[in-house]
Amino acid sequence: MARSRTIIIAGAGIGGLTAALALTRAGFRAVILEQAARLEEAGAGIQLSPNATHVLFGLGLAERLRPLVVAPEAVRIVNGAGGHDVVRLPLGQTAQSRYGAPYWVIHRADLQAVLAAAISESPDVTLRLGTRVADFAIHQHGVTVAARDAQGARDEQGVALIGADGLWSTLRTRFGDRGGPRFGRRTAFRAVVAASHVLEEFRAPVTGLWLGRDAHLVHYPVRGGREVNIVAIVRDSWHQAGWSAPASANELAPHFAGFAAVARALIAIPDRWQKWALFDRPSGRPRQQGPVTLLGDAAHPMLPFLAQGGAMAIEDAAVLAHALEHDEDIARALRAYEQARRHRVARAQRAARLNSWGYHLPGPLGMVRNGVLAAMGGEKLLRRYDWLYGWRPEQQV
Ligand SMILES: Cc1cc2nc3c(=O)[nH]c(=O)nc-3n(C[C@H](O)[C@H](O)[C@H](O)COP(=O)(O)OP(=O)(O)OC[C@H]3O[C@@H](n4cnc5c(N)ncnc54)[C@H](O)[C@@H]3O)c2cc1C
């Protein structure tokens, strides 16, 4: 395919891989430059809400994903201290009928493997591992990307560059944003255990959300139900930059001292935890220029309290490909994509931040929150997310 159809993508995370697939559907060729020597995802799960599964289905991935996922019947919100249900938001068939696509949970490595397999089968995608993007230069034919691999410096030419290089994006800095990510005063601990090691209530096809003072716990089955993903998020001042660090159950236990015994027993099971300091950025991107733009966490990182960072990266990919397919002027198409995404991702960032406060309320405030959630009931609570889960790419471009 002519060079005039080649788009360079920095980063092979969920956003970069999905963007490559979406761009080939729009008639482009994609070259992905990934700094890591191997594609490796965190040993953890990810929730794929209907706005994300809708896009993945559109890319023809439904049948590859189906054997690997679990479709939770509900989100079970639990009073962490008492261990009893506050309310259940129906998912399963209700979400499928309401939003026209399923709510799924999956191991990240499985999602990545499906995306990577689809890419490896496409003659229009080249993935260069061990290749770190350092800089770019815009010129009249597009963009020259300066990268480094084991052999030294290399240049790649394309008509556009998509910075899908994550929270600590190099390309974002290149647009003059020197502020850096904003620490959310929370740490996420994550582990995956064999389903046979946990109580029946944690194995069930349900997403559990246990709320307590300065801490909450999320669990759901992955790998078709053979393993259980556990995420424990606590208020904390540890804020090492980067991605993950090893952690221990001893570190975590004091944060859950006020939780019911079954919850404490669950977090005592994993031998190995990984921890992440949580960051986002204030809404709004730096001004991007010419044939270069940002996507996913590089553009709009958010706290994981809405389970939407990956979903927003997947949405970005669909909107970006649509914009480029329908406008020959690359720079104009990229500005249209940025504009189309602006309000929605800002709303998701705000909602996630609000949940980071609401999920961790102490004593009486937590009781009021639980009372309000119970009074609203599951159906009404789910309807509050119609704006999020009912999204379709066509609405935005
Ligand atoms: C605890 C936790 C739970 C979460 N749960 C959910 C959930 O349930 N649902 C959901 O939708 N989201 C969730 N998220 C958010 C989601 O994980 C992220 O939003 C998503 O992974 C972002 O994808 P990305 O492709 O934009 O960035 P990344 O996944 O960070 O990928 C960026 C890639 O770019 C590469 N890279 C970086 N710099 C360079 C460079 N200079 N050159 C070349 N390559 C480079 C990196 O190596 C990496 O592979 C969660 C996040 C956390 C922390």
Side-chain angles (χ1 to χ4, degrees), residues 192-263:
V192 176
V193 295
S196 56
H197 291 178
V198 306
L199 292 176
E200 170 60 31
E201 73 173 283
F202 299 118
R203 258 181 283 152
V206 162
T207 295
L209 172 60
W210 296 58
L211 303 180
R213 182 189 189 123
D214 290 338
H216 80 277
L217 184 64
V218 176
H219 60 82
Y220 48 81
V222 290
R223 301 228 139 120
R226 295 190 309 282
E227 295 181 0
V228 173
N229 176 65
I230 310 171
V231 188
I233 299 189
V234 302
R235 179 180 279 278
D236 198 9
S237 56
W238 175 76
H239 62 285
Q240 186 179 300
W243 200 218
S244 72
S248 74
N250 292 343
E251 229 178 295
L252 187 56
H255 295 282
F256 286 87
F259 274 60
V262 280

Side-chain angles (χ1 to χ4, degrees), residues 11-16 33-35 46-47 108 131-133 164-166 170 188 190 278 295-297 304 307-311 313:
I14 295 167
L33 308 178
E34 165 58 49
Q35 64 181 1
I46 183 163
Q47 306 188 53
R108 282 171 183 261
T131 309
R132 181 173 168 76
V133 172
D165 52 343
T170 305
R190 301 203 278 194
L278 299 182
L295 175 148
D297 276 8
Q308 282 296 314

Side-chain angles (χ1 to χ4, degrees), residues 300-322:
H300 42 67
M302 55 193 71
L303 297 175
F305 289 79
L306 197 64
Q308 282 296 314
M312 289 294 143
I314 290 169
E315 286 188 7
D316 282 354
V319 177
L320 175 74
H322 189 280

Side-chain angles (χ1 to χ4, degrees), residues 74-79 84-90 206-211 369-382 384:
V75 177
R76 176 183 166 225
I77 301 182
V78 184
N79 174 327
H84 53 265
D85 286 13
V86 173
V87 66
R88 287 169 81 97
L89 270 80
V206 162
T207 295
L209 172 60
W210 296 58
L211 303 180
R369 175 204 56 217
N370 291 351
V372 170
L373 292 176
M376 283 178 79
E379 295 276 352
K380 196 164 170 193
L381 277 171
L382 183 66
R384 286 177 62 230

